[in-house]
Amino acid sequence: MTVRDALNSALDEEMSADPKVFVMGEEVGEYQGAYKITKGLLDKYGPERVVDTPITEAGFTGIGVGAAYHGLRPVIEFMTFNFSMQAIDHIINSAAKSNYMSAGQISVPIVFRGPNGAAAGVGAQHSQCYAAWFGSCPGLKVLAPYSSEDARGLLKAAIRDPDPVVFLENELLYGESFPISAEALDSSFALPIGKAKIEREGKDVTIVTYSKMVGYSIQAAEILSKEGISAEVINLRSIRPLDRPAINASVRKTNRLITVEEGFPQHGVGAEICASVVEESFEYLDAPVERISGADVPMPYAANLERMAVPQVEDIVRAAKRACFRSS
């Protein structure tokens, strides 16, 4: 199943199961979604539950948060998460803080979803990763699926959750196909929020990553295995809450840590993971922790520079070799 179909089927089933769920955003209805994630939903559920909006993120995000205050379950689509900056006041101040500020009287069951991070050839303003931005805010849950099973199980969990969830997809993964279990195809299926998945077991070095970089890390682990290095790959799935126990348990087994992300290096997700391991498992480390991230520059438009600005498989391989004192 493709990631696109996994997301579409999850939305369809949750809308079918709960009449309070509705979708709102630019091009979600008549056009079937900018990336066809909402394909077929307008015909099935009608314009009251699949709402096309003008190009006004601040407007429709605010409407969505207000609807959530009143007990509906909106799924707000951003055509790209870069456009969520138009609406960040509603996400942070109106959605994330209301439950706490109302002493639990107001719950805000809303999902903000759309493609996040670098795509290809779309320049600096459309290529940012927002995992660290939203991951630093108490009151939000932040999810970043990799595979079709991740996408399906986490989106269902996000829609059912009583709190606001930022759901960070990746445009370049939409068309990728992944094997999917019979269990994941059941309409009641959902993945737990806050639990990482060990994608590949290993004993020499831990690679912690999320979203598209999980695929790169698995490729790197396969290359490393041919050179006698057994890498454990952890797919975070959830950026906030972060599965610190799983990360630290793996590092205590392998004694080495590498983090991989597409976002900027400073104050990034990898920085938080490294801090957690240094705080909780420092005495288990046999080598310095390493962060692999996007370059500390706005994303270049030129294809050759763009490739240099995001992590590649060979970067992960080199870092793992350094950690294992096997540098070539």
Side-chain angles (χ1 to χ4, degrees), residues 24 53 56-67 74 76-78 83-84 86-91 94-95 110 112:
M24 181 160 56
T53 67
T56 54
E57 282 77 11
F60 66 75
T61 306
I63 291 168
V65 174
I76 302 299
E77 175 177 310
F78 296 119
F83 301 153
S84 73
Q86 299 286 336
I88 203 161
D89 181 50
H90 290 301
I91 299 169
S94 305
I110 188 169
F112 307 102

Side-chain angles (χ1 to χ4, degrees), residues 56 102 163 188-189 268 281 307 317 327:
T56 54
S102 69
D163 295 310
S188 63
F189 176 70
S281 305
R307 188 180 188 281
V317 171
S327 293

Side-chain angles (χ1 to χ4, degrees), residues 110-149:
I110 188 169
V111 177
F112 307 102
R113 56 153 293 273
N116 167 70
V122 290
Q125 293 168 327
H126 296 110
S127 298
Q128 289 178 135
C129 174
Y130 286 88
W133 293 54
F134 291 117
S136 67
C137 181
L140 289 177
K141 292 173 181 173
V142 182
L143 306 178
Y146 162 61
S147 66
S148 300
E149 200 155 304

Side-chain angles (χ1 to χ4, degrees), residues 151-162:
R152 197 172 142 76
L154 291 173
L155 186 55
K156 282 174 162 285
I159 293 169
R160 295 171 193 174
D161 200 87

Side-chain angles (χ1 to χ4, degrees), residues 12-231:
D12 186 7
E13 287 167 20
E14 293 306 302
M15 289 178 78
S16 176
D18 185 349
K20 295 196 200 69
V21 178
F22 73 97
V23 176
M24 181 160 56
E26 295 155 9
E27 312 258 40
V28 296
E30 296 287 349
Y31 191 68
Q32 311 285 316
Y35 297 99
K36 304 296 178 262
I37 306 297
T38 51
K39 189 175 182 183
L41 299 183
L42 176 65
D43 293 342
K44 189 167 181 181
Y45 299 104
E48 289 206 337
R49 293 185 65 197
V50 183
V51 185
D52 274 323
T53 67
I55 303 173
T56 54
E57 282 77 11
F60 66 75
T61 306
I63 291 168
V65 174
Y69 285 172
H70 285 274
L72 295 178
R73 291 183 172 272
V75 179
I76 302 299
E77 175 177 310
F78 296 119
M79 201 178 286
T80 145
F81 253 93
N82 298 276
F83 301 153
S84 73
M85 292 176 74
Q86 299 286 336
I88 203 161
D89 181 50
H90 290 301
I91 299 169
I92 302 294
N93 283 327
S94 305
K97 298 175 183 174
S98 291
N99 187 265
Y100 181 84
M101 291 177 72
S102 69
Q105 292 178 81
I106 300 172
S107 65
V108 192
I110 188 169
V111 177
F112 307 102
R113 56 153 293 273
N116 167 70
V122 290
Q125 293 168 327
H126 296 110
S127 298
Q128 289 178 135
C129 174
Y130 286 88
W133 293 54
F134 291 117
S136 67
C137 181
L140 289 177
K141 292 173 181 173
V142 182
L143 306 178
Y146 162 61
S147 66
S148 300
E149 200 155 304
D150 290 357
R152 197 172 142 76
L154 291 173
L155 186 55
K156 282 174 162 285
I159 293 169
R160 295 171 193 174
D161 200 87
D163 295 310
V165 179
V166 171
F167 195 85
L168 303 171
E169 300 155 14
N170 186 288
E171 180 188 333
L172 300 177
L173 288 175
Y174 284 150
E176 281 205 32
S177 291
F178 293 89
I180 195 156
S181 66
E183 180 198 6
L185 292 171
D186 190 274
S187 62
S188 63
F189 176 70
L191 287 170
I193 291 174
K195 290 285 176 208
K197 179 190 178 191
I198 297 174
E199 292 282 350
R200 183 187 172 113
E201 298 255 353
K203 64 182 194 323
D204 295 329
V205 59
T206 297
I207 303 173
V208 182
T209 183
Y210 62 93
S211 190
K212 182 165 170 272
M213 290 294 118
V214 176
Y216 281 29
S217 299
I218 292 169
Q219 287 177 50
E222 284 164 6
I223 293 166
L224 288 163
S225 71
K226 293 175 184 150
E227 304 195 27
I229 295 172
S230 167

